[in-house]
Amino acid sequence: MSSRQLSDRLPLLRLAFRPFFYFAALFSLLAMLVWLGFWHGNVWLSPYGGMLWWHQHEMLFGFAGAIIAGFLLTAVQNWTGRPGVSGWALLGLVVLWLAARVLLAYAASLPGWLLLLVDVSFLPLVAIIMVRSVVAARLWRNLLFLPVLLLLGTANAAMHLGVVNGNALLIREASHLAVLTITLLMVILGGRVIAFFTARKLSFPQPERTPLLEALSLGSMAAIVVLQLMSMLSDLGSDRLMATLMTIAALSNAWRLAQWKGWLGWREPLLWGLHLSYAFIPLGLMLWAWQLVSGQRVETAVHALAIGAMATMMLAMMARVSPGHTGRAIQTLPGVGLALGILLIAGLLRSVWLVVFPQTSHWVFSAAIIAWCISYLVFLLHYTVPLFSARVDGNDG
């Protein structure tokens, strides 16, 4: 059976967004339920690295890694005009991603190097597939996603090495590198699509980019990632320098967000979900900078970026992209606004609220987990059938 015949028989394998959006959403729901059980004293798994490592790693590289792969491998088809990965090649990627999830959850007795090899190979393969299309089309500016994907792969490998060597500091620094690299990716992609989606939906001219502002918002975020990489590899990082860069990045990205006129889309959840999730980037960076300077733990800042920015933006983006790529009308389906809203509230509870009321952590953790589960369940209820079905307009995708 050829790749074309396989994708014709199984629409799930026609473009990368289909399997990776679906399985990432489903996996995050299941992983959060396991985390909720663990938090309440019910140990359902004995995963590789222990439950804390597994939770951190799988939400970054299992959940977010899959959505990033699905989005980029689909977007590159639009950017280059070349067919995206599908059929047998896409199935191989999906099986590799699923194998890593199963092995890390249930095969903790396997050698660490084997688990590392299976899990870490996914993102470099995504990068190779993407770069081949970009180079063939000579769209050199899109090569900037290559170092981002390789940085994520480096962070993933470092988290595995931290387990192998019993190095808790390396695990922490690697997880922070992953969060900040995904934040950089959100800054890059947010600048490309949020202003465009807003202007197109509300029928007004897209705001002109300010070169200095673009350079400052992107450059400062890139510098943060480089500094975090240096800190992870050689402990050469400086908390004061990092706090300074994060303040610059927070202010410049808040200014950048204001240029996109998101307040005009207050009636459209798919718009305000994108804008408010992007607003969590300056919020999380400012909180991180303050906690560095004051000598506090940065977990609340990390969760501002992970829940308020990453999880919410990914949900909004999937809800916006999936209908268009399955030939359906782009509209806010019932409950999607609620899903985005409670996820944003969860981000606030897990970050700002816990800074002010740290003694409420037990119920806040549970509330945030339940909010995540409800939000991604709404996505699955609406989009499972479209993702598994052929386009309604008869086109490929």
Side-chain angles (χ1 to χ4, degrees), residues 56-266:
Q56 292 175 322
H57 179 273
E58 292 300 84
M59 299 317 294
L60 291 169
F61 300 105
F63 163 70
I67 293 178
I68 290 167
F71 184 86
L72 290 179
L73 291 177
T74 301
V76 75
Q77 174 173 283
N78 297 332
W79 297 336
T80 65
R82 297 175 60 83
V85 61
S86 62
W88 289 109
L90 180 55
L91 179 61
L93 274 180
V94 173
V95 169
L96 178 63
W97 178 84
L98 284 171
R101 309 289 69 79
V102 173
L103 291 177
L104 290 176
Y106 296 107
S109 60
L110 288 178
W113 65 265
L114 177 61
L115 296 174
L116 183 153
L117 180 63
V118 173
D119 183 47
V120 174
S121 61
F122 175 72
L123 286 171
L125 283 175
V126 171
I128 290 170
I129 293 169
M130 185 179 180
V131 166
R132 286 180 62 186
S133 292
V134 169
V135 171
R138 299 181 180 274
L139 293 175
W140 308 117
R141 78 187 191 107
N142 290 316
L143 284 177
L144 63 87
F145 294 106
L146 175 61
V148 173
L149 289 170
L150 294 181
L151 278 168
L152 279 177
T154 300
N156 191 4
M159 285 197 74
H160 278 271
L161 291 174
V163 174
V164 172
N165 298 321
N167 189 337
L169 178 61
L170 178 60
I171 292 171
R172 187 193 71 183
E173 294 300 308
S175 67
H176 290 176
L177 175 62
V179 169
L180 292 171
T181 302
I182 294 171
T183 302
L184 172 61
L185 184 61
M186 290 190 290
V187 169
I188 295 170
L189 291 174
R192 288 194 177 193
V193 302
I194 296 178
F196 171 74
F197 287 165
T198 305
R200 184 174 180 179
K201 179 67 177 179
L202 301 180
S203 301
F204 63 77
Q206 186 171 338
E208 291 188 12
R209 297 174 183 268
T210 305
L212 177 60
L213 179 59
E214 292 296 304
L216 195 60
S217 56
L218 289 166
S220 58
M221 196 64 234
I224 288 169
V225 172
V226 171
L227 184 60
Q228 179 61 31
L229 177 64
M230 292 172 57
S231 177
M232 184 189 79
L233 295 177
S234 59
D235 199 27
L236 291 178
S238 163
D239 285 352
R240 193 165 296 277
L241 176 57
M242 180 67 85
T244 301
L245 288 172
M246 285 184 167
T247 302
I248 294 170
L251 295 175
S252 57
N253 277 286
W255 181 16
R256 189 189 195 209
L257 176 62
Q259 308 290 306
W260 300 339
K261 303 180 181 179
W263 60 87
L264 297 176
W266 65 273

